[in-house]
Amino acid sequence: MNKRTLLTIFLFASVNLYCQKTRYDQKTIYKTKFDDAIPVLNVATFHMGETSDANKTQFDQQDSSNRKEIQKVAKLLADFKPTIIVIEALPEKDSIRQADYLGYVKNPDKKFQNPDERELLAYEVGRLSGTKRIFGIDFKEEYNYNIGNTIAHLVDKVTVNKYWQLLDENEKNNPEQGISFYDLFRLNNHPQYLESLININADLLTYISSNRKSEGADEAAKFYHRNLVMFSNLNQIPVRKGDRIFILMGGTHTAFFNDFLERSPKFRLENTFDYLK
């Protein structure tokens, strides 16, 4: 038996052994993305200015050292080289926002009265990347975070309180105060942190109900609906061959969009930590 025959037998045996060890559910059997899927860098941020969110991060956006830290992160994210910037803003105001953004691109020293993450970070990422287009995709829909306080006889009186204890433990081990802006930004984009935001803002509500009712789930559905409409707004943005999309939103929206983008055949989700090195 010559060497070539032996090598063929060895390769066949190796492939056969690999196939036997790979579970069916771990095999790739479906093609899930278009060949021309659009790269998307989906980045989470806390709100750096005024916000109606129940949970707020203390941050002085006017502080010069904080501004410098934001610019450092913007430079890292700009390596993605987006052609489109997407932010948490209402689409109806896109024309005003576009003019505002292009004014900043021409004059980076432009002063904003009450800047937030959009002006401080998204604008700078776009400027450094030479991005010409910016779009808002927000959709407003109110829902009751505190529906549990209005229900007299809860069926499950344990899960929510037990989860808050778990959350307190996680927050003690991963404090948001007393760390650099860069470290806070990395924490805000950690996959487990993002998943916890979906629990806090939506899924925990499904454990809140009275007998044979779904009061909490009904409220959570409104927040799911808000994010689905926002994703629909993203899908209405005109794209061209070669486009690359940078999205900057509050962390809970980012968490929802990670799921939507992962399943979408139109988009290819990039790893944020390839840029937050």
Side-chain angles (χ1 to χ4, degrees):
M1 188 178 295
N2 59 40
K3 292 182 178 180
R4 179 174 293 179
T5 302
L6 284 172
L7 180 59
T8 301
I9 293 173
F10 173 76
L11 290 173
F12 178 80
S14 298
V15 170
N16 189 50
L17 182 62
Y18 171 78
C19 292
Q20 289 178 353
K21 288 185 176 180
T22 304
R23 285 182 9 173
Y24 180 76
D25 63 307
Q26 295 174 342
K27 295 179 180 179
T28 300
I29 63 170
Y30 271 57
K31 183 176 180 180
T32 60
K33 300 291 180 184
F34 299 149
D35 291 334
D36 58 352
I38 301 163
V40 178
L41 187 61
N42 184 40
V43 177
T45 180
F46 58 90
H47 293 300
M48 299 177 190
E50 291 297 319
T51 175
S52 59
D53 285 8
N55 298 302
K56 303 177 183 179
T57 299
Q58 296 298 319
F59 182 78
D60 183 1
Q61 72 270 33
Q62 301 290 358
D63 182 78
S64 59
S65 61
N66 284 339
R67 293 284 190 99
K68 290 179 181 177
E69 290 299 311
I70 293 171
Q71 289 173 349
K72 289 180 182 178
V73 169
K75 188 174 181 180
L76 293 174
L77 297 173
D79 284 344
F80 174 64
K81 301 189 184 309
T83 61
I84 295 174
I85 302 292
V86 173
I87 55 175
E88 190 177 335
L90 295 172
E92 302 92 283
K93 299 182 179 180
D94 274 354
S95 59
I96 298 173
R97 178 69 66 173
Q98 181 76 22
D100 192 51
Y101 165 67
L102 293 178
Y104 173 81
V105 170
K106 291 180 180 178
N107 177 24
D109 294 324
K110 179 179 179 180
K111 302 298 182 183
F112 298 98
Q113 186 174 359
N114 294 301
D116 57 29
E117 67 278 1
R118 295 169 292 192
E119 292 86 4
L120 296 172
L121 183 55
Y123 279 22
E124 182 65 2
V125 170
R127 184 186 73 83
L128 293 172
S129 306
T131 310
K132 304 298 183 186
R133 293 178 289 164
I134 187 167
F135 298 91
I137 59 170
D138 199 7
F139 173 74
K140 300 299 184 183
E141 183 167 3
E142 297 296 327
Y143 75 112
N144 188 358
Y145 288 92
N146 300 308
I147 187 71
N149 296 336
T150 68
I151 301 174
H153 303 289
L154 291 173
V155 173
D156 184 344
K157 299 179 180 180
V158 176
T159 302
V160 172
N161 288 334
K162 193 173 180 180
Y163 183 81
W164 285 116
Q165 293 172 11
L166 179 64
L167 186 66
D168 287 342
E169 181 181 342
N170 285 329
E171 289 181 346
K172 287 178 183 178
N173 293 330
N174 301 278
E176 296 188 31
Q177 303 299 325
I179 61 176
S180 69
F181 174 81
Y182 175 73
D183 287 337
L184 177 58
F185 207 78
R186 278 163 47 97
L187 172 63
N188 287 173
N189 280 277
H190 192 285
Q192 291 179 327
Y193 181 93
L194 292 174
E195 287 293 317
S196 76
L197 294 180
I198 294 182
N199 263 339
I200 294 168
N201 289 282
D203 287 5
L204 272 186
L205 290 173
T206 63
Y207 300 94
I208 296 174
S209 63
S210 55
N211 190 41
R212 300 203 179 279
K213 293 186 178 180
S214 55
E215 297 95 333
D218 293 340
E219 294 302 313
K222 297 174 186 177
F223 194 65
Y224 267 79
H225 180 255
R226 179 186 176 190
N227 283 277
L228 285 167
V229 173
M230 291 172 68
F231 192 65
S232 174
N233 289 339
L234 173 67
N235 287 322
Q236 294 176 46
I237 293 174
V239 293
R240 302 185 289 255
K241 183 178 181 181
D243 273 334
R244 300 170 64 82
I245 300 176
F246 171 80
I247 304 176
L248 184 71
M249 298 186 294
T252 311
H253 300 307
T254 302
F256 273 99
F257 268 54
N258 277 344
D259 287 343
F260 301 155
L261 292 164
E262 192 68 48
R263 288 190 295 271
S264 170
K266 179 180 177 180
F267 301 109
R268 186 178 74 244
L269 184 62
E270 299 286 314
N271 188 335
T272 303
F273 285 90
D274 287 344
Y275 299 90
L276 292 179
K277 297 176 182 179

